[in-house]
């Protein structure tokens, strides 16, 4: 029995060691991203199966400096072999068929390709970007020469301007969309006969403040030359069956790409990958947590990656069911998205194992396989779609075909294998939404923090709810507005009566005075100081109410405003209000004491606190309403809160002016000085706390040293 137990234990240990070795030998980890920019491990959607090199292809002369890949409708594979000045054509089994290099041109002269960098194949033609020869050359599908398309002639191209086509795409109307590495104005559009149509999709770049100032001193000629490079060039292009153009660029500043990612892609101006219609309008959907731009982890504070900065996107390929992939040259990684811009999976790494790529250059799909070109190793790595990948594509296919019940089943299968996959939750939610099951869809959208789709479902629920309870809603709204109007009328009567009554004011009258002051700041602040219409105790009540309003805003906003359910404490909200208020009061009092200000420190504090009244009046109802709002309505609520802050700023401005009896200009200068004073006080506070920390550390070290020596 002991021998049997020992044998079983040894077998288990060997199996564990082999499994650990296999995991350690894995060439890459497939992942997606959480809403917090952290990678979430995912099952492999594609796995490497083989590497295709020149020997496998059956080539006598090895490929050198390959720059592009293409797969035609017969699954033949085309490689732009730049160093050997040729196009290599392989069959579906990656075996050599023929090459295109030398040919007799349309003038009957022997000609040849020169460093071809891009190609595109239609039903009857092969289009080659003959880069160093500055032209497009076309052949039939058997490699026979057809025509040469030279640089387009138009006033937009200066005499002597370089024309170096590096990528091309052709739509079903035989319009050519050409990327030239030296053309900054956008994508060149031409007919198959070489007639110039125009330029579309110019990619903007940012201009620094120094450049903006310098441009004011330029001559018209210098400014015109500068304008030519206001846009930056693209580096690759492809087109789908619907005529939508996908283009990539790697020449945007890293800072612009980072800003683009932080803005969640609200503006695609600095996107490294775009989808354009035939007119060049940017129409890409970016509904994921982060816009399609490759690596996101580098922006995380926890990132320890050796390669820093945004991805360098150099190619895009169209996959099944409207999916598409981009490649990151920096990291040799592949990022795949659905049509809505949700990240489906990312994988890849540099290395020498099967599945690793030293210098990724191009990508293309071939059925259920993905081909990735390695420029350094001059080979192609073939990735096969896994079972997980097949289910994922099947789910998208059912969803695109409006087979929503089947799509839900597929997404459920995905979640069994990858519970962290947000796109699956979104897919289930969308299928339920399109089936009219709005309430059920909300939970799945919540799981993926998808506020946009959540709003669509909630809008339908709210529409039905409003239809059912419309009379009650109208009654409540009218009652609230009427009650507030009656309260303001009551406060006005009380303030009017107190203004002429004289004598000591009650605490309630001091509180109600705030509703006179916020609408009549000039005489309001005058009476606040000289007629003692308010008091410090009432001012502190307004301060406390403001703190409570911010606290309620932090914990009481609706899901679409706070999808992650983040919260705060009353103490942090108190500090966020009290610290700037006290800094302003102290700095203003110190400064106005030197410049003949008539207000005391107490007067300043009272004026500031009374000025805060618009904040709770607007923040509390907008926070309450946010629980029934959708994403498109949040901008209106935020606008109302912005108005409240502007209103408070105006009240503080006039409050300090009346309190110190300053002119408009003097008060403005004083407030600027107050802001500078606040910064100086903060500097002193930080300096003092730092020195105090060092002193405490010094004393602690001495005590520790003495203790050890004793």
């Amino acid at each position: 029995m002991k021998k049997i137990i020992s044998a079983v234990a040894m077998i288990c240990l060997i199996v564990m060691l082999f499994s650990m070795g296999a995991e350690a030998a894995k060439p890459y980890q497939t992942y997606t991203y959480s809403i917090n920019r952290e990678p979430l491990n995912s099952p492999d959607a594609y796995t490497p199966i083989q590497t295709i090199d020149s020997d496998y292809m059956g080539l006598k002369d090895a490929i050198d400096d390959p720059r592009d890949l293409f797969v035609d409708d017969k699954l033949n594979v085309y490689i732009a072999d730049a160093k050997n000045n040729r196009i290599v054509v392989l069959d579906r089994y990656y075996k050599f068929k023929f090459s295109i290099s030398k040919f007799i041109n349309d003038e009957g002269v022997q000609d040849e390709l020169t460093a071809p960098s891009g190609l595109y194949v239609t039903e009857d033609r092969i289009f080659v970007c003959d880069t160093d020869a500055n032209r497009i050359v076309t052949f039939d599908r058997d490699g026979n020469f057809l025509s040469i398309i030279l640089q387009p002639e138009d006033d937009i191209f200066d005499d002597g301007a370089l024309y170096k086509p590096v990528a091309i795409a052709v739509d079903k109307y035989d319009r050519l969309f050409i990327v030239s590495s030296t053309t900054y104005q956008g994508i060149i559009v031409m007919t198959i006969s070489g007639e110039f149509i125009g330029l579309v999709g110019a990619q903007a770049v940012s201009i620094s403040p120094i450049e903006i100032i310098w441009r004011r001193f330029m001559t018209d000629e210098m400014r015109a030359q500068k304008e030519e490079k206001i846009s930056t060039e693209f580096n690759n292009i492809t087109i789908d069956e619907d005529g939508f153009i996908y283009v990539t660029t790697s020449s945007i500043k890293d800072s612009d790409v980072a800003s683009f990612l932080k803005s969640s892609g609200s503006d695609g101006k600095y996107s490294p990958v775009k989808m354009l219609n035939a007119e060049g309008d940017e129409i890409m959907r970016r509904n994921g947590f982060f816009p399609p731009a490759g690596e996101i982890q580098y922006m995380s504070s926890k990132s320890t990656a050796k390669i820093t900065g945004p991805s360098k996107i150099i190619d895009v390929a169209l996959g099944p069911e409207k999916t598409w992939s981009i490649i990151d040259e920096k990291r040799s990684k592949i990022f795949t998205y659905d049509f809505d811009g949700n990240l489906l999976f990312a994988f890849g790494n540099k290395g020498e194992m099967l599945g690793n790529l030293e210098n990724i250059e191009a990508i293309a799909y071939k059925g259920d396989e993905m081909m990735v070109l390695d420029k350094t190793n001059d080979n192609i790595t073939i990735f096969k779609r896994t079972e997980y990948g097949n289910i994922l594509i099947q789910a998208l296919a059912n969803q695109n075909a409006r087979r929503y019940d089947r799509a839900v089943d597929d997404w459920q299968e995905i979640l069994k294998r990858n519970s962290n996959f947000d796109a699956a939750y979104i897919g289930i939610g969308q299928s339920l939404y399109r089936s009219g099951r709005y309430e059920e869809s909300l939970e799945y959208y919540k799981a993926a923090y998808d506020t946009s789709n959540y709003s669509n479902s909630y809008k339908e629920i709210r529409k039905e709810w409003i239809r059912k309870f419309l009379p009650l809603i109208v009654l409540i709204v009218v009652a609230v507005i009427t009650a507030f109007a009656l309260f303001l009328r009551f406060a006005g009567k009380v303030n009017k009566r107190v203004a002429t009554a004289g004598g000591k004011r009650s605490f309630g009258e001091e509180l109600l005075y705030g509703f006179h002051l916020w609408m009549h700041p000039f005489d309001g602040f005058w009476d606040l100081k000289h007629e003692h219409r308010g008091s410090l105790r009432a001012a502190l009540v307004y301060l406390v109410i403001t703190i409570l309003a911010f606290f309620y805003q932090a914990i009481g906003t609706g899901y679409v405003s706070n999808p992650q359910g983040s919260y705060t404490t009353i103490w942090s909200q108190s500090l966020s209000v009290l610290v700037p208020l006290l800094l302003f009061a102290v700095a203003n009092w110190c400064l106005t004491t030197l410049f003949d200000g008539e207000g005391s420190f107490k007067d300043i504090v009272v004026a500031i606190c009374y000025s805060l009244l618009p904040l709770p009046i607007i923040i509390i109802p907008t926070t309450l309403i946010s629980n029934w709002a959708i994403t498109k309505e949040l901008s209106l609520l935020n606008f109302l809160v912005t108005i409240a802050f502007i209103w408070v700023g105006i009240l503080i401005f006039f409050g300090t002016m009346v309190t110190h009896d300053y002119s408009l200009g003097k008060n403005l200068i004083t407030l600027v000085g107050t802001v500078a004073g606040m910064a100086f006080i903060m500097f002193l506070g930080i300096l003092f706390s730092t020195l105090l920390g060092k002193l405490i550390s010094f004393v602690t070290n001495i005590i520790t040293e003495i203790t050890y020596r004793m």
Side-chain angles (χ1 to χ4, degrees), residues 632-682:
K632 293 180 180 179
E633 297 164 350
L634 291 180
S635 57
L636 176 59
L637 297 180
N638 293 332
F639 176 70
L640 293 175
V641 174
T642 302
I643 289 177
F645 277 102
I646 294 173
W647 200 336
V648 169
I650 293 172
L651 290 177
I652 290 176
F653 178 83
F654 289 114
T656 53
M657 185 176 75
V658 174
T659 299
H660 298 297
D661 196 19
Y662 280 166
S663 64
L664 187 66
K666 186 174 182 180
N667 187 62
L668 181 62
I669 295 173
T670 304
L671 288 179
V672 173
T674 299
V675 173
M678 292 171 66
F680 181 70
I681 293 172
M682 290 175 63

Side-chain angles (χ1 to χ4, degrees), residues 287-301:
N287 296 335
F289 292 151
F290 312 102
E295 191 66 64
I296 302 296
Q297 189 183 8
Y298 83 94
M299 301 181 69
S300 171
S301 58

